[in-house]
Amino acid sequence: MRLYQYRPREGDIPRLAVSSGGGHVVDSERAWTHVTGTEPGRTTRMLHHWMRALIEEGPRWWSEVADVARQASAIPEAHVDLGDVEVLAPLVPDALRDFLTFEDHVQRGARRRDGEVPAYWYEAPVYYKGNPRTVIGPDTECPWPPYTQRLDFELELALVVGVRGRDLTADEASAHIFGFTIFDDFSARDVQVREMSAWLGPAKGKDFANALGPCIVTADEVGAEPDLEMVCRVNGEEWGRARSSQMHWSWAEIVAHSSRGEDIHPGDVYGSGTPGGCCGLDLDRELSPGDVVELEIERIGVLCNTIGPRPDSS
């Protein structure tokens, strides 16, 4: 399935749109009504409006939604034209972990520091915890924080957890993956460098904005370890290209590591980190106000955000 969170008009309650089996994108609630011939009750209606509720309901419900969407593809009254609605971030997670899984990017960082890749990077998938309250969606302006002079982006694939678990093995972990989306890890590089020189962080260097979207593609469509082409562009110019299969750590290893000694929850989001050369830092390039950043990942789509103006310092 491909799942979108959208708003029909300004002020309306968000709704879910679904495409299954390559069919038309349909409104989840309208599709249910047309296919089953019944109006959903209050509880079921929540499952048609909120991505979190759908994910938490579990695999049996996911299968029902996919089947209904497939049948509703032939019903024009259920269709959703994504060009006529506001496509939102597909999910605002409670937990956002961003990993560092691409060796080329880590090696470039080591060279900038005139050092070596830390030994622990090869022992476990390391991550920082992002700020889920600053998640923005497609075509939303990324605010320029008042405390930075150097704004950057990172092209990332993101995993969405589907099933709760704890102390999972890598063999067990794949069954806990719901799907994947695109993640833009916006970064205030000058602040990030100063924070991490004090042996902690990043914090303010990352927490001001995280973009997700435009949809979630479920693991049954792309696999639990997808090999997808990833491309980043700024103002239409390609800045970098990679494949998700170049990750040093598998998604199963990432999920298993995250679950050690703690529960992972449906709707948690894990970023892959950026491939080498797929951010301004690796290329010694910077963003400017008004720049349009496009992140494209095969079989998922394009996540596009414009960089906002610098705050007035007067």
Side-chain angles (χ1 to χ4, degrees):
M1 287 188 293
R2 301 171 65 86
L3 297 124
Y4 299 83
Q5 189 90 59
Y6 80 98
R7 194 181 347 252
R9 296 179 300 278
E10 191 67 31
D12 278 359
I13 296 174
R15 303 175 68 92
L16 286 177
V18 187
S19 174
S20 179
H24 287 284
V25 178
V26 298
D27 178 86
S28 181
E29 185 176 8
R30 293 203 301 268
W32 180 270
T33 300
H34 282 287
V35 170
T36 68
T38 62
E39 293 284 344
R42 171 184 278 185
T43 301
T44 307
R45 183 169 286 112
M46 287 290 295
L47 304 180
H48 294 295
H49 283 259
W50 300 101
M51 188 76 72
R52 172 72 60 77
L54 178 146
I55 296 171
E56 290 178 345
E57 193 66 11
R60 184 173 178 178
W61 177 251
W62 309 341
S63 179
E64 287 189 47
V65 170
D67 184 57
V68 167
R70 193 177 301 111
Q71 295 180 63
S73 179
I75 304 172
E77 292 81 5
H79 293 177
V80 175
D81 184 346
L82 295 175
D84 289 341
V85 300
E86 180 187 4
V87 179
L88 308 171
L91 179 69
V92 178
D94 284 335
L96 177 62
R97 307 182 198 222
D98 198 12
F99 288 79
L100 187 64
T101 69
F102 287 92
E103 188 174 23
D104 185 21
H105 178 61
V106 179
Q107 290 172 336
R108 290 171 187 244
R111 288 195 294 269
R112 284 193 297 272
R113 297 172 175 84
D114 295 321
E116 300 291 331
V117 175
Y120 186 69
W121 187 84
Y122 294 100
E123 297 175 22
V126 295
Y127 63 91
Y128 79 90
K129 291 183 177 179
N131 182 1
R133 291 186 175 89
T134 59
V135 166
I136 61 176
D139 301 315
T140 302
E141 184 178 88
C142 172
W144 192 296
Y147 48 78
T148 183
Q149 296 299 312
R150 188 171 185 183
L151 203 60
D152 197 5
F153 70 92
E154 292 193 3
L155 166 63
E156 303 193 22
L157 179 65
L159 174 149
V160 181
V161 175
V163 179
R164 185 171 179 169
R166 186 183 182 97
D167 292 324
L168 303 171
T169 66
D171 288 340
E172 296 168 331
S174 293
H176 293 256
I177 298 172
F178 178 69
F180 296 89
T181 189
I182 305 173
F183 176 30
D184 194 336
D185 175 30
F186 288 108
S187 307
R189 293 300 190 192
D190 47 355
V191 176
Q192 179 187 353
V193 168
R194 293 198 298 272
E195 286 178 328
M196 298 182 73
S197 72
W199 301 351
L200 206 59
K204 301 299 286 185
K206 296 280 191 175
D207 283 352
F208 59 93
N210 305 279
L212 296 174
C215 64
I216 296 173
V217 177
T218 50
D220 62 328
E221 294 275 342
V222 295
E225 303 289 345
D227 176 23
L228 305 174
E229 186 172 57
M230 308 168 66
V231 183
C232 55
R233 304 180 185 89
V234 178
N235 300 327
E237 177 191 356
E238 183 175 313
W239 279 25
R241 182 180 293 258
R243 296 200 71 87
S244 62
S245 56
Q246 294 168 331
M247 293 165 57
H248 178 81
W249 295 98
S250 71
W251 285 112
E253 291 168 328
I254 288 169
V255 172
H257 178 71
S258 300
S259 75
R260 288 172 190 151
E262 61 177 299
D263 289 343
I264 60 171
H265 294 269
D268 288 354
V269 170
Y270 302 159
S272 65
T274 189
C278 292
C279 65
L281 179 64
D282 283 352
L283 303 170
D284 195 25
R285 304 183 72 169
E286 300 181 20
L287 295 176
S288 299
D291 282 349
V292 177
V293 179
E294 291 180 300
L295 307 185
E296 182 174 2
I297 297 184
E298 181 184 4
R299 302 185 68 181
I300 299 179
V302 179
L303 175 63
C304 181
N305 298 96
T306 300
I307 304 301
R310 294 177 188 267
D312 187 355
S313 59
S314 59

